[in-house]
Amino acid sequence: MEGISWTDLDLEEQRTLAMLGDGVSAEFCDPVALLTLRRIGLVRVARLTPAAEKMLATALLHEFA
């Protein structure tokens, strides 16, 4: 997980993080993106890790700043 930023993720991975952050079921997320996010440690089971939550919050702050 170290060294990975929001911009390192592709659009589907970003969308999947945002959907999970909004409480959408993992069943509605892209399965390949979900697998990748699990592999790099941003998702456990179907929930965001604290690192993923921080990354998502930071990305949103930069988007709306």
Side-chain angles (χ1 to χ4, degrees), residues 41-53:
L42 292 174
V43 173
R44 281 194 206 118
V45 186
R47 296 183 53 119
L48 299 181
T49 62
E53 289 176 359

Side-chain angles (χ1 to χ4, degrees), residues 5-47:
S5 69
W6 180 257
T7 56
D8 293 331
L9 304 175
D10 68 25
L11 183 60
E12 287 303 318
E13 294 162 351
Q14 290 176 354
R15 183 177 293 130
T16 298
L17 279 181
M19 289 172 66
L20 291 174
D22 283 341
V24 175
S25 171
E27 294 177 9
F28 297 107
C29 297
D30 180 270
V32 174
L34 194 57
L35 182 64
T36 301
L37 294 170
R38 285 180 179 148
R39 184 177 48 83
I40 61 177
L42 292 174
V43 173
R44 281 194 206 118
V45 186
R47 296 183 53 119

